[in-house]
Amino acid sequence: MSKPTPSSAALPIAHAALRILIVVNWLMGAAILALLVVMPNEQWIMSAFKLSPSPDAARLVMGLRAIAVLGLAAIPLNYVVLRRLLAMVETVRAGDPFVAANAARLQAIAWALLALQLLSLVVGAIAKTVSTPAHPLHLNAGFSINGWLTVLLTFLLARVFAEGALMREDLEGTV
Amino acid sequence: MAIAVKLDDLLHDRRMTLTELADRIGMTLANLSILKTGKARAIRFSTLDAICEELSCQPGDLLRFEPAAAAGKRSASR
């Protein structure tokens, strides 16, 4: 029993934005891959960052490479989040979002967000390790209270959706 | 479900169709069909009240507990 949803601009916008973000995510992945594969030359990185050859600079380059690899690992995780969000938006547009499939999607999103937070912790730690006063490395990574709250909230929301889907099923069978 | 709905028998005894009953108690035919075919998960007291009123029967005339039939039905439907 699906009710027609009131038309709102938010859903088409979310739908389009998510589709764009999915493409941007793949482009980012391709860019990181290109950085790792096509330009592995240490000299090139040194000159790009205006680094003078030193043990510190070599460590920085190593650190940057490690961070790039972790960035590559984040691409499929981002894809999991975006693809499932898109599927959820589609169920809202269809007028039936309280289904067990959406609870499962939220659960998958929560796990992906958890993995992304862990990646961020590792990236932050690497940045801190390789950063020196001569070559400071400022990255927007590391522990984020908001990030971890989002993870918790998403797990919670997945449970709420699962309960909601059960209640919806009961209600549909009530005459 | 171990609860069988005897709406078909009641309607047959009273020479009434499901559509007629739906009209008289103000329920949709779709919902009443769900009840008749035993696919309902729950029944509201207001629905029970309206059916009993219209068919001049007791809730017990409409619902019956049938454990053996239920076991077969459940394994067939799930």
Side-chain angles (χ1 to χ4, degrees):
Chain A
M1 188 171 59
S2 66
K3 282 168 255 150
T5 44
S7 64
S8 146
L11 287 177
I13 291 172
H15 197 262
L18 285 168
R19 281 196 171 282
I20 293 168
L21 282 174
I22 287 173
V23 175
V24 169
N25 183 48
W26 285 126
L27 290 177
M28 292 272 281
I32 296 172
L33 199 64
L35 268 177
L36 274 170
V37 177
V38 185
M39 299 156 188
N41 189 325
E42 204 154 305
Q43 288 301 316
W44 183 87
I45 300 171
M46 291 269 200
S47 62
F49 285 93
K50 295 186 177 66
L51 301 173
S52 48
S54 69
D56 275 354
R59 226 165 50 135
L60 184 63
V61 171
M62 276 270 289
L64 286 173
R65 278 187 179 149
I67 288 169
V69 170
L70 292 174
L72 209 57
I75 300 296
L77 293 172
N78 289 336
Y79 181 73
V80 166
V81 173
L82 295 170
R83 197 73 200 81
R84 275 156 186 78
L85 260 181
L86 187 67
M88 286 183 75
V89 168
E90 272 160 13
T91 62
V92 178
R93 287 178 102 182
D96 197 13
F98 287 107
V99 289
N102 274 352
R105 284 181 185 125
L106 268 175
Q107 184 91 359
I109 290 173
W111 281 111
L113 288 177
L114 177 71
L116 283 169
Q117 283 305 312
L118 291 173
L119 271 183
S120 179
L121 280 183
V122 178
V123 167
I126 292 174
K128 208 170 185 180
T129 311
V130 299
S131 185
T132 59
H135 309 300
L137 186 58
H138 300 295
L139 285 179
N140 188 19
F143 178 79
S144 149
I145 188 84
N146 284 345
W148 285 98
L149 267 178
T150 306
V151 171
L152 270 180
L153 198 68
T154 314
F155 273 116
L156 193 69
L157 214 56
R159 284 299 310 154
V160 170
F161 251 76
E163 290 291 326
L166 273 180
M167 283 168 76
R168 173 77 190 264
E169 236 174 77
D170 270 350
L171 193 64
E172 294 232 313
T174 301
V175 294
Chain B
M1 191 77 70
I3 303 292
V5 180
K6 300 287 170 189
L7 188 58
D8 236 358
D9 299 347
L10 287 174
L11 287 172
H12 186 262
D13 291 347
R14 284 153 183 80
R15 306 272 184 274
M16 197 188 284
T17 65
L18 199 66
T19 315
E20 270 179 89
L21 180 63
D23 281 345
R24 289 189 191 184
I25 65 175
M27 251 177 94
T28 63
L29 186 60
N31 265 351
L32 212 51
S33 281
I34 289 173
L35 180 64
K36 196 193 85 167
T37 52
K39 287 177 187 155
R41 290 170 73 112
I43 180 165
R44 291 189 182 88
F45 276 130
S46 58
T47 306
L48 205 51
D49 184 74
I51 293 173
C52 289
E53 173 98 50
E54 196 53 50
L55 302 181
S56 311
C57 65
Q58 290 298 314
D61 300 331
L62 184 66
L63 307 171
R64 197 163 305 157
F65 180 64
E66 289 178 357
K73 215 172 191 179
R74 177 170 284 188
S75 59
S77 66
R78 299 229 165 168

